[in-house]
Amino acid sequence: MRNLRIFSAIGFLKGLYFYIPIFTFFLLAQHISLSAIVISQVFYSLFIFIGEVPTGIFADRFGQKASMLIGYFLEASGIALVLIFPTTVGLFVAYAVRGLAGSFLSGSEEALLFESVKHSGKQNFQKVYGRFLGNEQIGFIISPAIAGVVYQRFGEQAFVPLIIFTIFCIAVTGAASLFLKDFKATIADPAEGAGMFSLLKRSFFLIRHNKTIFILTVVGALTLTGEYFVQAVYQPYFAINHVPAFWVGAALSIGALLNTIATRNVYILERHFSLEKILLSLNLILSAAYILMAMLVHPIFLVGLFILLNGLYNLQAPIVSDYINTRTKSSIRTTVLSGISFIRRFFQIFATWILGVTVGVFGTQISLVLQGVYLLIGILIGYYLLVRCGCTYKVANIEGEELKFNE
């Protein structure tokens, strides 16, 4: 199907963030503190939190394609603002715009891909979604590697060109999404309604009353990975601990390569393990890697642990997404996904603020330990909740079963 081919291209293009390995160095050169750089992510989380549900409703009413187009435009604009206003306030505004961009993209990409898989007749959404995320990681393998080499060769002169090229790639991603076909759902029962409040009510009713979706939402809030926090602090942390500049980009690329391979094949895990065991294993390894990264500061260990972290980020996403989407009606799919993300973002705001303050007061090492301990406690609670609710089956076990939406 054409949509699936276009999504493969979009996945690759949206991974071409050339500026990430040098962004913190660029901001530090503009006399913006590391603490402010981390705290800027609070503005990202806050504005994506504010926009999650309204943009989800927008996508369900007017199409996920339109939501994606707006999201890519705002994302490119947000990054451009950092170049135009390279100050602390400018950074906060830029991240606020990017947060709005994220709210338009959150749920809409995933929902349209799920509908595309359903209309194509393919049965394994996990595999297709894993390929989409894997293609994004392929882009992320290439861009940091190139950025690292360019930075090593040209130093600070490379900052602006790398940021501009990232903006260009995001614009091309938006252009590619123009060729997608929308699958705007019709309302099977006219009594359900297609109005904003009807969509909102039905979506949050499902999140609250479907025990699997509800527990997965809670577990998601308890196990925020801290990916963007690490991307903001690892460059100066590497420099302080005498990691060669080459590894600023190379380590990110190698980690993305591992993530690509793992994400494309993560669906295989469900053939052997149930949901709660998969989530427990992945998050325990992440927790240990964070704590060890604070304790083992030799360049070899830092690079290796950083690669491991990046290899594991969001690995459970295709599996969790399948569990949620198989229990959600097409007519409210994006609103449900945005509603779940809305709840997670609420906790993300506080988590990011705490990490930003911790970096400013205690430094990066303590912040890494804090993130690791949070993940450890969160997944242990999450594991208990999953077992207690009986959410320990596999998606394969419910295929063909009539799903009850309790609406």
CSV table of all heavy atoms in Angstrom, one decimal, residues 353-393:
chain,number,residue,atom,x,y,z
A,353,TRP,N,11.4,19.2,35.3
A,353,TRP,CA,11.7,20.3,36.2
A,353,TRP,C,12.7,19.8,37.3
A,353,TRP,O,13.7,20.5,37.6
A,353,TRP,CB,10.5,20.9,36.8
A,353,TRP,CG,10.7,22.0,37.7
A,353,TRP,CD1,10.8,21.9,39.1
A,353,TRP,CD2,11.0,23.3,37.4
A,353,TRP,NE1,11.1,23.1,39.7
A,353,TRP,CE2,11.3,24.0,38.7
A,353,TRP,CE3,11.1,24.1,36.2
A,353,TRP,CZ2,11.6,25.4,38.7
A,353,TRP,CZ3,11.4,25.4,36.3
A,353,TRP,CH2,11.6,26.1,37.5
A,354,ILE,N,12.4,18.7,37.9
A,354,ILE,CA,13.2,18.2,39.0
A,354,ILE,C,14.6,17.9,38.4
A,354,ILE,O,15.6,18.2,39.1
A,354,ILE,CB,12.6,16.9,39.6
A,354,ILE,CG1,11.3,17.3,40.3
A,354,ILE,CG2,13.6,16.2,40.5
A,354,ILE,CD1,10.5,16.1,40.8
A,355,LEU,N,14.7,17.3,37.3
A,355,LEU,CA,16.0,16.9,36.7
A,355,LEU,C,16.8,18.2,36.3
A,355,LEU,O,18.0,18.3,36.6
A,355,LEU,CB,15.9,16.1,35.4
A,355,LEU,CG,15.5,14.6,35.6
A,355,LEU,CD1,15.1,13.9,34.3
A,355,LEU,CD2,16.6,13.9,36.4
A,356,GLY,N,16.1,19.2,35.8
A,356,GLY,CA,16.8,20.5,35.5
A,356,GLY,C,17.3,21.2,36.8
A,356,GLY,O,18.4,21.7,36.7
A,357,VAL,N,16.5,21.2,37.8
A,357,VAL,CA,17.0,21.8,39.1
A,357,VAL,C,18.2,21.0,39.6
A,357,VAL,O,19.2,21.5,40.1
A,357,VAL,CB,15.8,21.9,40.1
A,357,VAL,CG1,16.4,22.3,41.5
A,357,VAL,CG2,14.8,22.9,39.6
A,358,THR,N,18.1,19.7,39.6
A,358,THR,CA,19.1,18.8,40.1
A,358,THR,C,20.4,19.0,39.3
A,358,THR,O,21.5,19.0,40.0
A,358,THR,CB,18.7,17.3,40.0
A,358,THR,OG1,17.4,17.1,40.7
A,358,THR,CG2,19.7,16.4,40.6
A,359,VAL,N,20.3,19.1,38.0
A,359,VAL,CA,21.6,19.4,37.2
A,359,VAL,C,22.2,20.7,37.7
A,359,VAL,O,23.4,20.8,37.8
A,359,VAL,CB,21.2,19.5,35.7
A,359,VAL,CG1,22.4,20.1,35.0
A,359,VAL,CG2,20.9,18.1,35.2
A,360,GLY,N,21.4,21.8,37.9
A,360,GLY,CA,21.9,23.0,38.3
A,360,GLY,C,22.5,23.1,39.7
A,360,GLY,O,23.5,23.7,40.0
A,361,VAL,N,21.9,22.3,40.6
A,361,VAL,CA,22.4,22.3,42.0
A,361,VAL,C,23.4,21.2,42.3
A,361,VAL,O,24.4,21.5,43.0
A,361,VAL,CB,21.1,22.1,43.0
A,361,VAL,CG1,21.6,22.1,44.4
A,361,VAL,CG2,20.1,23.2,42.8
A,362,PHE,N,23.2,20.0,41.8
A,362,PHE,CA,24.0,18.9,42.2
A,362,PHE,C,24.9,18.4,41.1
A,362,PHE,O,25.9,17.6,41.3
A,362,PHE,CB,23.2,17.7,42.7
A,362,PHE,CG,22.4,18.1,44.0
A,362,PHE,CD1,21.0,18.3,43.9
A,362,PHE,CD2,23.0,18.2,45.2
A,362,PHE,CE1,20.3,18.6,45.0
A,362,PHE,CE2,22.3,18.6,46.3
A,362,PHE,CZ,20.9,18.8,46.2
A,363,GLY,N,24.6,18.7,39.8
A,363,GLY,CA,25.4,18.3,38.7
A,363,GLY,C,24.8,17.1,38.0
A,363,GLY,O,23.8,16.5,38.4
A,364,THR,N,25.4,16.7,36.9
A,364,THR,CA,24.9,15.7,36.0
A,364,THR,C,24.9,14.3,36.6
A,364,THR,O,23.9,13.5,36.4
A,364,THR,CB,25.7,15.6,34.7
A,364,THR,OG1,25.6,16.9,34.0
A,364,THR,CG2,25.1,14.6,33.7
A,365,GLN,N,25.9,14.0,37.4
A,365,GLN,CA,26.0,12.6,38.0
A,365,GLN,C,24.8,12.3,38.9
A,365,GLN,O,24.2,11.2,38.8
A,365,GLN,CB,27.3,12.4,38.7
A,365,GLN,CG,28.5,12.2,37.8
A,365,GLN,CD,29.8,12.0,38.6
A,365,GLN,OE1,30.3,12.9,39.3
A,365,GLN,NE2,30.4,10.8,38.6
A,366,ILE,N,24.5,13.2,39.8
A,366,ILE,CA,23.4,13.0,40.7
A,366,ILE,C,22.1,12.9,39.9
A,366,ILE,O,21.2,12.1,40.2
A,366,ILE,CB,23.3,14.1,41.7
A,366,ILE,CG1,24.6,14.1,42.6
A,366,ILE,CG2,22.1,13.9,42.6
A,366,ILE,CD1,24.8,12.9,43.4
A,367,SER,N,22.0,13.7,38.8
A,367,SER,CA,20.7,13.6,38.0
A,367,SER,C,20.6,12.3,37.3
A,367,SER,O,19.5,11.7,37.2
A,367,SER,CB,20.8,14.7,37.0
A,367,SER,OG,20.9,16.0,37.6
A,368,LEU,N,21.7,11.7,36.9
A,368,LEU,CA,21.6,10.4,36.3
A,368,LEU,C,21.2,9.3,37.3
A,368,LEU,O,20.4,8.4,36.9
A,368,LEU,CB,23.0,10.0,35.7
A,368,LEU,CG,23.5,10.8,34.4
A,368,LEU,CD1,24.9,10.6,34.1
A,368,LEU,CD2,22.6,10.4,33.2
A,369,VAL,N,21.7,9.4,38.5
A,369,VAL,CA,21.3,8.4,39.5
A,369,VAL,C,19.8,8.6,39.8
A,369,VAL,O,19.1,7.6,40.0
A,369,VAL,CB,22.2,8.7,40.8
A,369,VAL,CG1,21.6,7.8,42.0
A,369,VAL,CG2,23.6,8.3,40.6
A,370,LEU,N,19.4,9.8,39.9
A,370,LEU,CA,18.0,10.1,40.2
A,370,LEU,C,17.1,9.5,39.1
A,370,LEU,O,16.0,8.9,39.4
A,370,LEU,CB,17.7,11.6,40.3
A,370,LEU,CG,16.3,12.1,40.7
A,370,LEU,CD1,16.0,11.6,42.0
A,370,LEU,CD2,16.3,13.6,40.6
A,371,GLN,N,17.4,9.7,37.9
A,371,GLN,CA,16.7,9.1,36.8
A,371,GLN,C,16.6,7.6,36.9
A,371,GLN,O,15.6,6.9,36.6
A,371,GLN,CB,17.2,9.5,35.4
A,371,GLN,CG,16.6,8.9,34.2
A,371,GLN,CD,15.1,9.3,34.0
A,371,GLN,OE1,14.7,10.4,34.4
A,371,GLN,NE2,14.3,8.4,33.4
A,372,GLY,N,17.8,7.0,37.2
A,372,GLY,CA,17.9,5.5,37.3
A,372,GLY,C,17.0,5.0,38.4
A,372,GLY,O,16.3,4.0,38.3
A,373,VAL,N,17.0,5.6,39.6
A,373,VAL,CA,16.2,5.2,40.7
A,373,VAL,C,14.8,5.4,40.5
A,373,VAL,O,13.9,4.5,40.8
A,373,VAL,CB,16.6,6.0,42.0
A,373,VAL,CG1,15.7,5.7,43.2
A,373,VAL,CG2,18.1,5.7,42.4
A,374,TYR,N,14.4,6.5,39.8
A,374,TYR,CA,13.0,6.7,39.4
A,374,TYR,C,12.5,5.5,38.5
A,374,TYR,O,11.4,5.0,38.7
A,374,TYR,CB,12.9,8.0,38.7
A,374,TYR,CG,11.7,8.1,37.7
A,374,TYR,CD1,10.4,8.3,38.2
A,374,TYR,CD2,11.9,8.0,36.4
A,374,TYR,CE1,9.4,8.3,37.3
A,374,TYR,CE2,10.9,8.1,35.5
A,374,TYR,CZ,9.6,8.2,35.9
A,374,TYR,OH,8.6,8.3,35.0
A,375,LEU,N,13.3,5.1,37.5
A,375,LEU,CA,12.9,4.1,36.6
A,375,LEU,C,12.8,2.7,37.4
A,375,LEU,O,11.8,2.0,37.1
A,375,LEU,CB,13.9,3.9,35.5
A,375,LEU,CG,13.7,4.8,34.3
A,375,LEU,CD1,14.9,4.6,33.3
A,375,LEU,CD2,12.4,4.5,33.6
A,376,LEU,N,13.7,2.5,38.3
A,376,LEU,CA,13.6,1.2,39.1
A,376,LEU,C,12.4,1.2,39.9
A,376,LEU,O,11.6,0.1,39.9
A,376,LEU,CB,14.9,1.2,40.0
A,376,LEU,CG,14.9,0.0,41.0
A,376,LEU,CD1,15.0,-1.3,40.2
A,376,LEU,CD2,16.2,0.1,41.9
A,377,ILE,N,12.1,2.2,40.7
A,377,ILE,CA,10.9,2.2,41.5
A,377,ILE,C,9.6,2.2,40.6
A,377,ILE,O,8.7,1.4,40.9
A,377,ILE,CB,10.8,3.4,42.4
A,377,ILE,CG1,12.0,3.4,43.4
A,377,ILE,CG2,9.5,3.5,43.2
A,377,ILE,CD1,12.2,4.7,44.2
A,378,GLY,N,9.6,2.9,39.5
A,378,GLY,CA,8.4,3.0,38.7
A,378,GLY,C,8.1,1.7,38.0
A,378,GLY,O,6.9,1.3,38.0
A,379,ILE,N,9.1,0.9,37.5
A,379,ILE,CA,8.8,-0.3,36.9
A,379,ILE,C,8.4,-1.4,37.9
A,379,ILE,O,7.6,-2.3,37.6
A,379,ILE,CB,9.9,-0.8,36.0
A,379,ILE,CG1,9.5,-1.9,35.1
A,379,ILE,CG2,11.1,-1.2,36.8
A,379,ILE,CD1,8.2,-1.6,34.2
A,380,LEU,N,8.9,-1.4,39.1
A,380,LEU,CA,8.5,-2.3,40.1
A,380,LEU,C,7.0,-2.1,40.5
A,380,LEU,O,6.3,-3.1,40.6
A,380,LEU,CB,9.4,-2.2,41.3
A,380,LEU,CG,10.9,-2.7,41.2
A,380,LEU,CD1,11.6,-2.5,42.4
A,380,LEU,CD2,10.9,-4.2,40.7
A,381,ILE,N,6.6,-0.9,40.6
A,381,ILE,CA,5.2,-0.6,40.8
A,381,ILE,C,4.4,-1.0,39.6
A,381,ILE,O,3.3,-1.6,39.8
A,381,ILE,CB,5.0,0.9,41.2
A,381,ILE,CG1,5.7,1.3,42.5
A,381,ILE,CG2,3.5,1.3,41.3
A,381,ILE,CD1,5.7,2.8,42.8
A,382,GLY,N,4.9,-0.7,38.4
A,382,GLY,CA,4.2,-1.0,37.2
A,382,GLY,C,4.0,-2.5,37.0
A,382,GLY,O,2.9,-3.0,36.6
A,383,TYR,N,5.0,-3.2,37.3
A,383,TYR,CA,4.9,-4.7,37.2
A,383,TYR,C,3.9,-5.3,38.2
A,383,TYR,O,3.1,-6.1,37.8
A,383,TYR,CB,6.3,-5.3,37.6
A,383,TYR,CG,6.4,-6.8,37.5
A,383,TYR,CD1,6.6,-7.5,36.3
A,383,TYR,CD2,6.2,-7.6,38.6
A,383,TYR,CE1,6.6,-8.9,36.2
A,383,TYR,CE2,6.2,-9.0,38.6
A,383,TYR,CZ,6.4,-9.6,37.3
A,383,TYR,OH,6.5,-11.0,37.3
A,384,TYR,N,3.8,-4.7,39.4
A,384,TYR,CA,2.8,-5.2,40.4
A,384,TYR,C,1.4,-4.9,39.8
A,384,TYR,O,0.5,-5.7,39.9
A,384,TYR,CB,3.1,-4.5,41.7
A,384,TYR,CG,1.9,-4.6,42.7
A,384,TYR,CD1,1.7,-5.8,43.4
A,384,TYR,CD2,1.1,-3.5,42.9
A,384,TYR,CE1,0.6,-5.9,44.3
A,384,TYR,CE2,0.0,-3.6,43.8
A,384,TYR,CZ,-0.2,-4.8,44.5
A,384,TYR,OH,-1.2,-4.9,45.3
A,385,LEU,N,1.2,-3.7,39.3
A,385,LEU,CA,-0.1,-3.3,38.8
A,385,LEU,C,-0.5,-4.1,37.6
A,385,LEU,O,-1.7,-4.5,37.5
A,385,LEU,CB,-0.1,-1.8,38.4
A,385,LEU,CG,0.1,-0.8,39.5
A,385,LEU,CD1,0.2,0.6,38.9
A,385,LEU,CD2,-1.1,-0.8,40.5
A,386,LEU,N,0.4,-4.4,36.7
A,386,LEU,CA,0.1,-5.3,35.6
A,386,LEU,C,-0.3,-6.7,36.0
A,386,LEU,O,-1.3,-7.3,35.4
A,386,LEU,CB,1.3,-5.3,34.6
A,386,LEU,CG,1.5,-4.1,33.8
A,386,LEU,CD1,2.9,-4.1,33.1
A,386,LEU,CD2,0.5,-3.9,32.7
A,387,VAL,N,0.4,-7.3,36.9
A,387,VAL,CA,0.1,-8.6,37.4
A,387,VAL,C,-1.3,-8.6,38.2
A,387,VAL,O,-2.1,-9.5,38.0
A,387,VAL,CB,1.2,-9.1,38.3
A,387,VAL,CG1,0.8,-10.4,39.0
A,387,VAL,CG2,2.5,-9.3,37.5
A,388,ARG,N,-1.4,-7.5,39.0
A,388,ARG,CA,-2.7,-7.4,39.8
A,388,ARG,C,-3.9,-7.3,38.9
A,388,ARG,O,-5.0,-7.9,39.2
A,388,ARG,CB,-2.6,-6.2,40.7
A,388,ARG,CG,-3.7,-6.1,41.7
A,388,ARG,CD,-3.6,-4.9,42.5
A,388,ARG,NE,-4.8,-4.7,43.4
A,388,ARG,CZ,-5.0,-3.7,44.2
A,388,ARG,NH1,-4.1,-2.7,44.2
A,388,ARG,NH2,-6.0,-3.6,45.0
A,389,CYS,N,-3.8,-6.6,37.8
A,389,CYS,CA,-5.0,-6.4,37.0
A,389,CYS,C,-5.2,-7.5,36.0
A,389,CYS,O,-6.2,-7.6,35.3
A,389,CYS,CB,-4.9,-5.1,36.2
A,389,CYS,SG,-4.0,-5.2,34.6
A,390,GLY,N,-4.2,-8.4,35.9
A,390,GLY,CA,-4.4,-9.6,35.0
A,390,GLY,C,-4.0,-9.2,33.6
A,390,GLY,O,-4.3,-10.0,32.7
A,391,CYS,N,-3.3,-8.1,33.4
A,391,CYS,CA,-2.9,-7.7,32.0
A,391,CYS,C,-1.6,-8.4,31.7
A,391,CYS,O,-0.6,-7.7,31.4
A,391,CYS,CB,-2.7,-6.2,32.0
A,391,CYS,SG,-4.1,-5.3,32.7
A,392,THR,N,-1.6,-9.7,31.7
A,392,THR,CA,-0.3,-10.4,31.4
A,392,THR,C,-0.4,-11.3,30.2
A,392,THR,O,0.4,-12.2,30.0
A,392,THR,CB,0.0,-11.3,32.7
A,392,THR,OG1,-1.1,-12.2,32.9
A,392,THR,CG2,0.2,-10.4,33.9
A,393,TYR,N,-1.5,-11.1,29.4
A,393,TYR,CA,-1.6,-11.9,28.2
A,393,TYR,C,-0.8,-11.3,27.0
A,393,TYR,O,-0.1,-10.3,27.2
A,393,TYR,CB,-3.1,-12.0,27.8
A,393,TYR,CG,-3.8,-10.7,28.0
A,393,TYR,CD1,-3.7,-9.6,27.2
A,393,TYR,CD2,-4.7,-10.6,29.1
A,393,TYR,CE1,-4.3,-8.4,27.5
A,393,TYR,CE2,-5.4,-9.4,29.4
A,393,TYR,CZ,-5.2,-8.3,28.6
A,393,TYR,OH,-5.9,-7.2,28.8
